[in-house]
Amino acid sequence: MKKMNYQNVKGTLDYLPEEEGIRRTIRRTMEDVFIQYGCKPIETPILNYQSLLASKYAGGAEILEEMYTLSDRGKRELALRYDLTIPFAKVVAMNPTLKMPFKRYEIGKVFRDGPIKTGRYREFTQCDVDIVGVQSQVAEAELMMMALDIFRRLKMDVTIQYNNRKLLVGFLRQLNITGLMVNRVILILDKIEKISKEKIKEELREAGLDQVAIDAIESFLQKDLDGIVEEYRQLAEKEEIIKQGLEEWNELQAYLKQLEIESCCLFNPFLARGLEIYTGTIYEIFLTDKSVKSSIGSGGRYDNAIGGLIGSQETYATVGISFGLDVIFAALSLENSYLEAERLDYYIIPIGRPMEAISAAKALRDQGFKVELELGKKKLAKALDKANKEGVKKVIIIGENEVDGNTYKVRDMETGEEWLEAFQY
C-alpha cells in the first residue's frame, strides 16, 4: 500500500493548542473592540461566483492572478474568496433595506495563491470592519482610532501610514497618464519602499511611459513632504480631483488631531495601495520597529464598488479596514510577547475517585469556571507537572480522604498554598 503524503499543502499551517490559544486571544481582543465600536457581525460564504470576484470593482488584476478557481458538478465557475471586502459589498447590494450608516465586522478565512513570507500564507484569516453610508472622513478617523485601540490592548507599537488616492490620480492626470495606465503606474509606485528608485524608473519605462513623465515622477519622488503638499496645492487650482483629495486630507488631519493620535498616524504621499477598488483615503499599519516588513493591517475608501456590482451609477460611501490575524500572530511571536492563551481556572486530579471528580467538575463549570478534568490515569506528580507546564491557576485533588470528609483539596499553583473546600458528593 502506497504511503500517504501527510505534508500540508504549501502555504497552509496547522496551529497546535498553545499557538491557537494565542491566536484566539488576539481574535477575541479584536472582536471585543469591534463590538465596543458598535460594529454588527455578519458572515459571508467562502465560495463565490467567479464573475463576482473578477468584477472590475473587485480586487484588480494582481489579486485575480492569485485567485483559486474551481467548478461544481453543475459546471458553474466558482472561486474561493480572496478577501472579505467584495463578499461584503455583495451583501449590501443584495439587501437594499439595510439601515445606514451600516457598520459591520467579519472574521474569516480567505485564500490567495500568492508568494509566501512571514505572516503571509495562502490560507489566512482576515478580520474586517467596514462602514457604509458615511461620506465624511470621520469614518476613516474612527477606523484608525479603532486600530490603535486594538494594538494598544495587544501591547504592540504601531504606526499608521495614510494617503489619498485622489492626490496620486490627479498628479498622474497632470502628466497625461489616464485610463488603465493610471493604475499600472500606481502599482509601480506602491513598491517605493521595497525597490530602489532606479528600479521604479525602469518599471515605469517598461510600462510605456515617456521620458518627460518619468522625469516628472522622479522629481516628485525626490521632494520632501512640504514640497509635495505645496505642489498639490498649486495643482489643485487646475485639477478638481486634487482639490477634493486635499479637502479630505485636511478634514482627516483635523479629526486625528482632535483624537490626539496624529503622532501615530503619518501622511505618506507615496503610499499607493495598488488595488483599483480604492477611491480616496488609504492606509496601512506597520510595526513601528519594522521587525516585520509587511503591513499588519490596511484599508481605505471604496465608494464605487457596491454601485458597480449592481450596475448602478450610484455611489455608496464605503470605507473599511482589514487586520491580518496570521501576520499579527507572527509579529507577536517574534517579539516574544506577553500574550498567552486563556488559562484554566481549575484542573481536577482524581486519585481513584473518578465519579466524585466528574461531579465536582460539573459543579464548578455550572458556576462559570473553566475546568479540565484529568481523564487519563496520570499519577499525581505527572498531573501536577502538566498543570505547571500549562499554567493552570489552581489544581483540585480528590481522593479517598477528601471524599470521606465531603471536601476537596485545592492547591494554588503560583503560591503552593493548599486548603480544603467543603463539597457534598
Side-chain angles (χ1 to χ4, degrees), residues 217-234:
I217 290 172
E218 181 182 19
S219 173
F220 180 76
L221 294 177
Q222 289 175 348
K223 292 179 183 290
D224 61 17
L225 186 57
D226 290 339
I228 289 170
V229 173
E230 181 55 37
E231 179 160 351
Y232 279 143
R233 285 181 176 139
Q234 291 175 14

Side-chain angles (χ1 to χ4, degrees), residues 254-313:
Y255 281 118
L256 299 180
K257 185 174 182 181
Q258 177 69 22
L259 292 168
E260 300 181 340
I261 58 172
E262 69 269 34
S263 62
C264 306
C265 303
L266 304 180
F267 176 56
N268 178 355
F270 305 127
L271 182 68
R273 301 230 68 219
L275 302 186
E276 296 175 41
I277 190 174
Y278 292 114
T279 58
T281 298
I282 50 177
Y283 34 75
E284 293 196 352
I285 306 166
F286 296 92
L287 290 179
T288 303
D289 66 7
K290 296 286 188 177
S291 57
V292 172
K293 301 297 182 186
S294 304
S295 66
I296 57 177
S298 58
R301 182 168 286 272
Y302 56 104
D303 289 349
N304 296 331
I306 296 170
L309 288 176
I310 60 177
S312 166
Q313 296 298 315

Side-chain angles (χ1 to χ4, degrees), residues 128-287:
D128 283 20
V129 171
D130 292 85
I131 303 173
V132 186
V134 180
Q135 293 183 346
S136 164
Q137 295 289 298
V138 69
E140 281 88 338
E142 170 134 309
L143 293 183
M144 292 164 81
M145 182 72 248
M146 183 183 70
L148 293 173
D149 277 350
I150 286 170
F151 290 113
R152 176 178 50 79
R153 294 192 190 193
L154 293 174
K155 299 198 182 310
M156 299 176 73
D157 186 13
V158 301
T159 301
I160 301 177
Q161 295 185 16
Y162 68 96
N163 194 10
N164 194 301
R165 282 279 289 241
K166 290 176 180 174
L167 300 175
L168 275 175
V169 170
F171 170 72
L172 295 177
R173 281 185 187 174
Q174 285 296 304
L175 303 179
N176 295 317
I177 300 171
T178 57
L180 295 176
M181 184 61 76
V182 169
N183 205 64
R184 190 166 180 188
V185 171
I186 285 176
L187 281 170
I188 294 169
L189 294 179
D190 196 39
K191 304 174 185 176
I192 191 70
E193 293 192 0
K194 302 171 187 172
I195 62 177
S196 67
K197 288 182 181 176
E198 286 303 313
K199 183 65 176 172
I200 292 282
K201 287 163 59 181
E202 181 184 328
E203 291 198 14
L204 292 173
R205 203 171 292 114
E206 290 172 358
L209 256 61
D210 60 43
Q211 194 58 45
V212 173
I214 292 172
D215 290 344
I217 290 172
E218 181 182 19
S219 173
F220 180 76
L221 294 177
Q222 289 175 348
K223 292 179 183 290
D224 61 17
L225 186 57
D226 290 339
I228 289 170
V229 173
E230 181 55 37
E231 179 160 351
Y232 279 143
R233 285 181 176 139
Q234 291 175 14
L235 292 174
E237 296 177 7
K238 48 186 175 179
E239 187 65 64
E240 178 62 25
I241 196 170
I242 292 180
K243 182 181 177 183
Q244 292 173 12
L246 280 176
E247 288 172 354
E248 291 174 4
W249 177 65
N250 284 323
E251 183 188 1
L252 178 58
Q253 283 195 312
Y255 281 118
L256 299 180
K257 185 174 182 181
Q258 177 69 22
L259 292 168
E260 300 181 340
I261 58 172
E262 69 269 34
S263 62
C264 306
C265 303
L266 304 180
F267 176 56
N268 178 355
F270 305 127
L271 182 68
R273 301 230 68 219
L275 302 186
E276 296 175 41
I277 190 174
Y278 292 114
T279 58
T281 298
I282 50 177
Y283 34 75
E284 293 196 352
I285 306 166
F286 296 92
L287 290 179

Side-chain angles (χ1 to χ4, degrees), residues 304-322:
N304 296 331
I306 296 170
L309 288 176
I310 60 177
S312 166
Q313 296 298 315
E314 184 180 357
T315 59
Y316 289 72
T318 314
V319 61
I321 194 165
S322 179

Side-chain angles (χ1 to χ4, degrees), residues 47-56 58 64 67-71 75-80 82 86:
L47 270 179
N48 292 267
Y49 284 108
Q50 188 177 331
S51 57
L52 171 73
L53 298 183
S55 159
K56 73 174 184 176
L64 296 186
M67 186 165 64
Y68 282 99
T69 59
L70 64 154
S71 60
K75 297 186 178 178
R76 287 171 282 260
E77 293 184 341
L78 308 176
L80 302 182
Y82 50 73
I86 294 306

